[in-house]
Amino acid sequence: MLKLNVNGKQHQVDVEPDMPLLWVLRDHLGLLGVKYGCGVALCGACTVHVDGAPVRSCVVPASAAVGKAVVTIEGLAAGGLHPLQEAWIEHEVPQCGYCQTGMIMSAAALLAKTPKPSDADIDRAMTNLCRCGTYTRVREAIHAVAASSASAAAKKA
Amino acid sequence: MTGWWCASRVPKWARAPIPRWRNWWPRGGSQGVRSSQDYVRKAGAAARMMLVNAAAARWKVPATECTVERGVITHGPSRRRLRYGEVAAEAARLQPPQDIPLRDPKDWKIAGKSMHRLDIPDKVMGRPVFGVDVALPGMLHASIAQCPVFGGKLKSVDASVAEKMRGVKKVVREGDFVAVVADSWWRADQALQKLRIEWDAGANGNVSSETIAAMLRDGLADPKLPQARKVGPNIPRPTSTTPPWSRRPARPG
């Protein structure tokens, strides 16, 4: 029995300790926004936050997340939209959408650490693969959120 | 048809009187709207006329007194309103009009404009149901190992470890594949890795890129095919090769 904190809630799941976090989230907690892509930590479709860091949940054993805070796309913004999700809608980032929840989770972790990323910062952090080729709009949306939170911070100051 | 953006999927009946290629309904090369808009517009306009006529008949008023906006038919003088859906059954029984006037492009409301896509809000929340997300009651999952050689067969499989693994329901042995069925895909796949499989590659066991290339070269050298070998009487045709590849999609969704 593993105790996991996912999206602010405590869960007990009866699974093998080596079952990847991805499959616990999808098959046992019903969080289907987390996607299986490659299964070998390459594509990033399965990206979730563990204690704020973006991880590829397809290769993280569930037991490694015990005692840590796991956040998925479903819990990124409690009851509303994260600024990145709003920007994703505004800039019409997704095409098929399969990789996009992982993209958004990677971008959210990037902005939490680097509020005003350069193109190079974005390229370094956003290693998620998108076969529709949405990369230019991903970058646009991240810059848009960085710019609007910078101007909001300036207004407060 | 003066519906609205969210209602603008092409209904089945609009597909009938259309020139088709070999009875296919092919879409590709971003040609969909460009190649179909003429007849889709006519079908939409015809449907609008039939819906308005049906509403006018129900109200016993001239159709010319009715206007449409966002899928709602309004009879101006009496302010009565009906949604398309409310008269669709009656409209479907009317004769389609022959003379179908199309809206002047200067009055277009959607065509020619950049519209916001309706699928995006769900996609940023992870809500769309892809193939990998489909769950039916009592559904099981399988992971499959296929004979790596086309035309080969399964010779033997030792599933003694796999069969005892958690969640595994059955190991299926068929002609050229073996599959583990379990209560989740991950469990099925984990068990699949524990199978000890022996394949009988059969007649294609020695086929490789090299043998295929050699076969093609031999074919080109066949004296019965002079035109394949030479561009002109004394000019050999240049050859180039490309490896075989497939267009399989890159995701499980």
Side-chain angles (χ1 to χ4, degrees):
Chain A
M1 201 63 92
L2 295 181
K3 284 185 188 169
L4 291 175
N5 179 323
V6 180
N7 296 334
K9 275 190 205 146
Q10 291 292 337
H11 295 272
Q12 287 213 347
V13 281
D14 175 19
V15 297
E16 301 86 320
D18 64 338
M19 180 181 282
L21 182 58
L22 166 71
W23 297 109
V24 176
L25 295 171
R26 286 183 56 84
D27 289 346
H28 295 267
L29 301 179
L31 298 167
L32 299 178
V34 191
K35 288 288 182 273
Y36 167 67
C38 66
V40 287
L42 293 174
C43 76
C46 64
T47 303
V48 301
H49 296 172
V50 175
D51 280 351
V55 304
R56 304 217 156 161
S57 63
C58 71
V59 295
V60 174
S63 52
V66 172
K68 298 180 177 172
V70 178
V71 175
T72 71
I73 191 75
E74 289 87 351
L76 182 61
L81 288 174
H82 185 278
L84 277 167
Q85 290 169 308
E86 286 172 359
W88 245 244
I89 295 170
E90 174 65 27
H91 292 263
E92 310 217 299
V93 175
Q95 191 170 318
C96 89
Y98 196 81
C99 71
Q100 295 292 328
T101 53
M103 283 275 186
I104 292 169
M105 295 310 284
S106 294
L110 166 67
L111 288 182
K113 221 168 119 187
T114 313
K116 198 142 179 31
S118 64
D119 281 349
D121 292 332
I122 293 175
D123 290 346
R124 211 171 307 124
M126 300 298 295
T127 53
N128 304 51
L129 299 181
C130 170
R131 74 165 190 177
C132 304
T134 59
Y135 304 110
T136 51
R137 296 198 297 276
V138 165
R139 182 185 280 192
E140 242 175 60
I142 293 173
H143 280 313
V145 173
S148 69
S149 53
S151 73
K155 267 182 205 160
K156 266 188 206 164
Chain B
M1 64 185 275
T2 325
W4 192 235
W5 183 226
C6 59
S8 60
R9 290 181 185 168
V10 183
K12 263 190 191 153
W13 48 259
R15 299 177 186 173
I18 296 161
R20 293 187 188 182
W21 180 70
R22 291 188 183 178
N23 217 23
W24 284 20
W25 183 256
R27 291 292 109 203
S30 300
Q31 292 291 319
V33 170
R34 273 174 280 177
S35 63
S36 65
Q37 67 145 323
D38 188 50
Y39 58 74
V40 170
R41 285 180 66 204
K42 279 185 185 157
R48 180 186 59 213
M49 291 166 77
M50 292 160 77
L51 289 159
V52 169
N53 287 342
R58 195 194 284 188
W59 290 325
K60 300 190 171 59
V61 299
T64 49
E65 289 179 7
C66 300
T67 56
V68 283
E69 184 71 35
R70 294 193 178 205
V72 177
I73 306 159
T74 304
H75 178 236
S78 66
R79 311 300 301 158
R80 279 175 292 186
R81 292 153 61 88
L82 280 169
R83 294 192 308 275
Y84 278 172
E86 294 175 288
V87 287
E90 288 147 73
R93 286 192 289 270
L94 298 178
Q95 203 62 25
Q98 292 303 307
D99 180 28
I100 308 165
L102 294 179
R103 182 176 291 154
D104 191 312
K106 74 176 162 48
D107 299 323
W108 283 355
K109 293 174 184 170
I110 296 172
K113 293 196 177 77
S114 205
M115 302 297 292
H116 279 287
R117 279 172 44 202
L118 300 164
D119 52 334
I120 292 193
D122 274 353
K123 284 179 176 172
V124 305
M125 310 282 278
R127 282 182 186 150
V129 177
F130 290 88
V132 72
D133 303 318
V134 172
L136 300 172
M139 188 167 91
L140 296 173
H141 299 258
S143 187
I144 301 173
Q146 288 176 285
C147 181
V149 179
F150 185 74
K153 286 200 305 276
L154 181 65
K155 193 170 168 189
S156 71
V157 56
D158 174 1
S160 51
V161 176
E163 274 166 346
K164 290 193 198 86
M165 288 172 71
R166 184 166 172 188
V168 172
K169 306 286 181 191
K170 193 176 172 126
V171 177
V172 179
R173 299 157 174 87
E174 287 290 339
D176 61 351
F177 74 90
V178 53
V180 177
V181 181
D183 60 359
S184 79
W185 180 81
W186 183 76
R187 284 175 176 156
D189 197 57
Q190 290 296 108
L192 190 82
Q193 312 304 321
K194 300 288 183 197
L195 295 178
R196 294 156 67 100
I197 307 169
E198 267 193 285
W199 301 108
D200 170 7
N204 292 330
N206 294 320
V207 172
S208 66
S209 298
E210 286 72 28
T211 63
I212 292 171
M215 179 186 74
L216 295 172
R217 276 197 305 273
D218 289 352
L220 283 174
D222 188 332
K224 283 180 285 188
L225 296 169
Q227 285 160 8
R229 282 187 296 131
K230 291 186 177 175
V231 177
N234 296 308
I235 309 165
R237 182 179 285 277
T239 54
S240 62
T241 59
T242 182
W245 67 295
S246 88
R247 291 180 65 180
R248 276 187 301 182
R251 66 167 162 84

